[in-house]
Amino acid sequence: MSKTTKPDGGKTKPDTRNLGPRAIALDAVMGVFTKGAPMDHALASHPDHKRLEPRDRAFARAIAAAAVRRKGALEAALNAFLDKPLPDSALRAHLVLVCGAGELMVLNNAPHAVVDAWVTVMRADAECERFAGLANAVLRRISERGRGAFEAADPLHDLPDWLSDAWSKAYGVKTARAMARARSVHPPLDLTLKVPGEAEALADELEGICLPNGTVRLSETRDPTGIPGFEEGRWWIQDAAATLPVRILAPQPGERIADLCAAPGGKTLQIAASGAQTFAVDRAPKRLKALYDNLERTRLSATVEAADAAQWQPDEPLDGALLDAPCSATGTLRRRPDAAWAKTQADIASLASVQASLLTAAYKLIRPGGRLVYCTCSLEPQEGEKQIAGFLKRNPEARLDPIRPEEVPGLEDAIDAEGALRTRPDMWREVGGIDGFYIARLVRPAG
């Protein structure tokens, strides 16, 4: 390893330029656990990220995702070989060990290269260099004998304590553990087709499978631009669960349908593909860029407005509306493992207040006899079941229209006693799981 010398002639340190992906991953993991930063933003905003080749960017993300997704299990493996935990002041060094253990236990990379690389990262870091010898010993032991402790770890320990407790209370410990286990693995890639009838053919072409809802699922993540049909706009990326709200809304050709809080726009594309007159509303102009790009690529049409959904007014009442309300996103942890660390229990109450205001506003937009689908990609009852119960109490004239089993093939058991849908990540485990969503359909009485 080449050496660099400090300008003041001080102690030399290893040149870590070839360790860029690992150093960037470490900084991103620090951002997630200390600031609640979105992992992908922390990676992309790192000053050295743009200098990496695409393969190395993917490598950095894989390391960060492994550390964030399996933190509890990786710490269990580390603790089996540490005489005592590192002091709180050595968080960065602790996370070096977590990242290194993630490469060994989750990514299954060559032990010799992994250990040497992370020890070098430690030696080059002023906050960590005094623990380099410890890292060398512990990571080597983990590579040889750490698999048992890693695999035996309770998957609930991969979550923040508040979320583990909340899931256990809401669903029972057994189901909560199954949910946590399901979100601990990298998810497949799901495609929604512009023309649903082409799903089987595309699944055969891509050697994927066609799910009961019509989603084409690929077992491995790929560069979207290299998948057949991308340039032609035949499909867009969207988790299977995220397609269900529009399926339940069932927009019809010629109807006036609004997608409120629309960005990044997968549901807008579904509505537009149905032939409905489509309105897409979102308060964040920057987040609408992906929607504009996908509308252009798929050659679909929608009226897009950068506006607060709580204030937006159409020129005449709507036949239907979809409110995918801002939420804690705890149902998407398969795809966004960092989301668990971006929120606290206190945030749930704050988000629930926003959801209630949006729900009230959205209901007023639909005509008598029209319908409103409310959904959140959250597993927290306060953002789902309790939200709808509160709305119906405040609006006794509104009616909950029960979702019928034939509307959600393969998920009939996910319909609750009131007729709403509650998907969980442990459902469809045999084909790769599904995001957690709560979906309810409301009808405004014609009278």
Side-chain angles (χ1 to χ4, degrees):
M1 180 71 69
S2 62
K3 301 283 186 177
T4 57
T5 304
K6 290 183 177 181
D8 62 0
K11 184 172 63 175
T12 61
K13 291 188 175 184
D15 183 346
T16 61
R17 284 175 294 180
N18 293 329
L19 302 175
R22 291 181 173 93
I24 290 171
L26 173 62
D27 284 346
V29 171
M30 279 287 293
V32 170
F33 290 130
T34 61
K35 302 176 183 177
M39 184 182 73
D40 285 331
H41 176 75
L43 288 166
S45 62
H46 193 286
D48 295 331
H49 188 261
K50 290 183 179 179
R51 303 173 190 171
L52 297 180
E53 296 293 329
R55 182 179 65 179
D56 288 335
R57 291 182 189 177
F59 181 40
R61 190 186 191 283
I63 294 170
V68 173
R69 183 176 278 119
R70 300 309 318 274
K71 180 174 182 284
L74 295 171
E75 288 175 333
L78 290 168
N79 290 338
F81 300 101
L82 283 169
D83 293 333
K84 60 181 180 179
L86 270 62
D88 293 342
S89 60
L91 176 60
R92 189 172 179 85
H94 172 76
L95 292 179
V96 168
L97 295 178
V98 171
C99 288
E103 258 205 83
L104 294 168
M105 297 289 100
V106 179
L107 304 184
N108 297 310
N109 290 338
H112 178 76
V114 171
V115 175
D116 284 356
W118 284 106
V119 169
T120 301
V121 169
M122 263 204 175
R123 285 176 176 157
D125 193 305
E127 292 185 43
C128 304
E129 58 183 339
R130 64 191 175 104
F131 296 103
L134 175 69
N136 183 60
V138 170
L139 291 177
R140 289 189 186 282
R141 290 171 190 162
I142 285 178
S143 70
E144 297 166 356
R145 306 191 301 278
R147 181 66 58 181
F150 174 74
E151 293 180 349
D154 187 339
L156 284 171
H157 293 166
D158 288 331
L159 303 172
D161 289 343
W162 75 266
L163 187 56
S164 173
D165 292 343
W167 285 6
S168 297
K169 181 179 179 181
Y171 299 98
V173 173
K174 182 179 179 180
T175 297
R177 185 169 287 123
M179 289 160 54
R181 185 175 292 110
R183 49 74 56 201
S184 71
V185 298
H186 187 74
L189 183 67
D190 288 353
L191 308 179
T192 299
L193 271 73
K194 177 180 175 181
V195 180
E198 297 179 356
E200 291 284 358
L202 184 64
D204 289 342
E205 180 182 355
L206 301 180
E207 298 183 346
I209 61 173
C210 190
L211 299 178
N213 68 311
T215 288
V216 172
R217 173 162 287 183
L218 310 182
S219 59
E220 296 182 358
T221 300
R222 310 181 194 178
D223 177 5
T225 62
I227 300 175
F230 176 83
E231 292 293 342
E232 300 85 352
R234 292 173 60 194
W235 51 261
W236 53 90
I237 295 173
Q238 187 178 27
D239 186 83
T243 70
L244 300 174
V246 174
R247 186 184 184 103
I248 290 165
L249 182 63
Q252 300 299 310
E255 286 190 318
R256 293 167 49 81
I257 305 291
D259 182 7
L260 307 172
C261 307
K267 300 176 186 67
T268 296
L269 298 176
Q270 284 182 271
I271 296 169
S274 75
Q277 183 181 355
T278 306
F279 301 89
V281 182
D282 198 282
R283 67 183 301 172
K286 289 183 178 179
R287 296 187 70 230
L288 288 171
K289 183 182 184 304
L291 174 54
Y292 281 116
D293 291 346
N294 274 319
L295 284 170
E296 181 178 3
R297 182 174 64 86
T298 58
R299 299 173 180 83
L300 291 170
S301 177
T303 299
V304 182
E305 298 194 36
D308 186 342
Q311 304 296 326
W312 178 75
Q313 290 288 328
D315 55 2
E316 59 183 275
L318 302 168
D319 297 296
L322 170 66
L323 174 60
D324 185 358
C327 69
S328 61
T330 55
T332 67
L333 299 186
R334 297 159 62 246
R335 303 185 185 280
R336 296 179 51 205
D338 54 296
W341 304 92
K343 298 289 189 294
T344 67
Q345 186 68 60
D347 292 321
I348 305 299
S350 176
L351 286 163
S353 177
V354 173
Q355 292 152 10
S357 297
L358 287 169
L359 189 51
T360 297
Y363 182 70
K364 294 177 181 178
L365 301 180
I366 59 175
R367 63 170 175 79
R371 71 265 187 212
L372 167 66
V373 167
Y374 169 83
C375 68
T376 57
C377 56
S378 166
L379 289 160
E380 315 317 305
Q382 300 97 311
E383 301 180 273
E385 293 86 346
K386 293 182 180 180
Q387 190 64 253
I388 289 297
F391 174 82
L392 292 173
K393 186 175 181 179
R394 297 191 304 272
N395 299 271
E397 80 288 353
R399 180 171 62 86
L400 187 63
D401 184 16
I403 295 166
R404 300 181 300 278
E406 61 269 22
E407 295 181 279
V408 287
L411 290 166
E412 297 86 352
D413 292 343
I415 300 174
D416 67 20
E418 282 69 42
L421 190 75
R422 164 60 78 191
T423 64
R424 304 189 314 264
D426 58 310
M427 295 174 174
W428 284 3
R429 284 292 307 279
E430 66 280 2
V431 292
I434 190 169
D435 279 355
F437 261 80
Y438 176 82
I439 309 168
R441 180 171 54 207
L442 298 159
V443 174
R444 187 170 187 174

